[in-house]
Amino acid sequence: MPMSKSGQSNMNMNIQERSTNIVIVGGGISGLATALAIQKHNPSFGISNSNSNSNDNSNRARISTIHILEKSSEENFLSMTMGAGAQITPNALRALKYIMNNGDETLMNHVLRDGCTLEGSAFITPSTSPSSQPSTNNIMYMPDNTKQENNGLPQVFIRWSKLRHLLYSSLTTNSNTDTSTTSKQHPKIIIHTNTGKDIVGYKTHDNGHVSIMTKSGKELDLNECTNTDENKSDEQKEITSLLIAADGLSSTFRYLVNNNKMMLPSSSDVRKLGITDTGRISIKAVVPKELDSTKGYKPNHTYAYFGSNGGIGCFAGSAGDGYTYWAISIADEVDPITNEKTQFLSDIGIHQRNCNDEDEENSGDNLNEEECDVAYYQNVKDKLLEKLRKMEDVQNVQFVIDLIEATDPETIYKSRSKEAIDIGPDLMT
């Protein structure tokens, strides 16, 4: 369902100057950040009152609306428990400042306030010495000098859901009813949840209009979705003149752009082409619990453990607001004789829940969706704890065991570790 984030009202425009809109596919961090940058850079993208000076450069684009297509439900989009953690570098903090325009540091300061400023990292080396916790002899501490090297800007860890909430909240919501000749009006933001899963391509028209095509062979009608153009003539209706893809690793539009095509073939899922499996499974979550300082764990530090054979890696660090992010990476086991690979958790099948397990299909359990979520992810949690507790140097991973034990199974994310071979097409001449 559409959710409106509007910064304008009673928009006046000449019929001859038909307004345009932008469609952003994907309502994650990159999609919302893009929408925010377009909306806030009003002098470049906004629409001024029709009585404004015709030489006003802000009227060139005539953008009326920014549509964001988000495949998850409205409940999940607004949820503060979705996603795991996000690392914000100094350059990303600068970007947050830039997209707000005119040196506005509000969004950047909110991230600094709600996240955790990293002061150092601790690396725990493998050891089999009997102990209830890592020995100080096998912990290597490294101070984080990012702040000193970047004019006071640090590295920040923050919950993914919190970062998305801050971006969403920064979109202009108050109506601007000023009709003076000097007023500027922000483009309206409309977020369409439960939308975009069936996109297979696009079509261009002679008038510059871009249509989004769905599996049914029909165009996605945004005017119909929002009911905003019921009383407008064809000349007055908005058209989509710019389509921006922010649809993640298995992007429909990455394939289309890389291969100079406009529609996905129906024979196979080519969105997986150009994506390589790293041979590891990743399991992660955020938990409302901090690392136990009574056991020697330092605040504002990340902790990492890597097994001697590279088979397992454990990571944890504060994500602000009393939350801690943890992640486990487990390599596929290879039979030394047959070279056959076995994936961790392959014995419990695969399951997709609330778009958390990208590109995995439902396991077909005869449980309803809610029961299947709890049962499956409780099983993931139990299997993971069992594996960690059987390690010879279990004391070295106790920091992450404590966090997993306190984790709600429904907040756990599990996926194969994948990466794109090429980020995009070579645009160099």
Side-chain angles (χ1 to χ4, degrees), residues 69-84:
L69 310 185
E70 168 55 35
K71 64 181 181 180
S72 69
S73 67
E74 181 176 349
E75 179 183 3
N76 286 339
F77 178 79
L78 297 175
S79 171
M80 293 301 293
T81 63
M82 295 297 290

Side-chain angles (χ1 to χ4, degrees), residues 2 13 16 19 38 62 99 112 196 277-278 296 298 318 321 413:
M13 60 181 176
Q16 291 78 11
S19 63
I38 293 173
R62 298 193 300 276
I99 65 177
L112 291 170
D277 189 301
T278 64
K298 296 183 179 182
S318 175
D321 288 340
Y413 280 64

Side-chain angles (χ1 to χ4, degrees), residues 11 17 29 72 90 107 172-173 182 211 257 318 341 423:
M11 181 176 61
E17 293 190 352
I29 302 302
S72 69
L107 177 57
T172 301
T173 57
T182 59
S211 296
V257 171
S318 175
K341 292 184 178 181
I423 295 177

Side-chain angles (χ1 to χ4, degrees), residues 180-325:
S180 67
T181 58
T182 59
S183 69
K184 304 290 190 302
Q185 297 172 321
H186 289 296
K188 178 172 58 178
I189 301 287
I190 298 179
I191 300 175
H192 306 264
T193 52
N194 287 315
T195 306
K197 294 179 182 179
D198 58 346
I199 293 176
V200 294
Y202 66 97
K203 181 193 299 183
T204 59
H205 303 268
D206 292 339
N207 63 357
H209 175 209
V210 180
S211 296
I212 300 173
M213 306 303 297
T214 64
K215 289 181 180 178
S216 66
K218 297 181 180 180
E219 297 181 11
L220 183 64
D221 190 344
L222 296 176
N223 293 322
E224 184 178 278
C225 291
T226 58
N227 297 319
T228 56
D229 289 316
E230 291 179 349
N231 300 319
K232 291 182 180 181
S233 67
D234 289 340
E235 290 81 7
Q236 289 177 303
K237 287 184 178 181
E238 300 169 5
I239 63 172
T240 298
S241 57
L242 179 61
L243 179 62
I244 299 174
D247 51 343
L249 180 63
S250 299
S251 169
T252 295
F253 295 96
R254 178 188 289 111
Y255 169 81
L256 297 177
V257 171
N258 283 352
N259 294 277
N260 195 27
K261 296 182 182 297
M262 300 177 71
M263 294 287 292
L264 294 177
S266 58
S267 56
S268 62
D269 190 357
V270 294
R271 295 175 302 170
K272 297 180 182 179
L273 295 177
I275 298 176
T276 181
D277 189 301
T278 64
R280 307 182 73 91
I281 189 170
S282 175
I283 307 170
K284 55 190 176 181
V286 288
V287 56
K289 175 183 175 69
E290 296 181 341
L291 289 170
D292 193 345
S293 60
T294 64
K295 295 182 179 180
Y297 297 112
K298 296 183 179 182
N300 299 84
H301 279 64
T302 62
Y303 283 81
Y305 166 88
F306 301 98
S308 55
N309 61 355
I312 187 167
C314 303
F315 175 88
S318 175
D321 288 340
Y323 283 79
T324 301
Y325 165 68

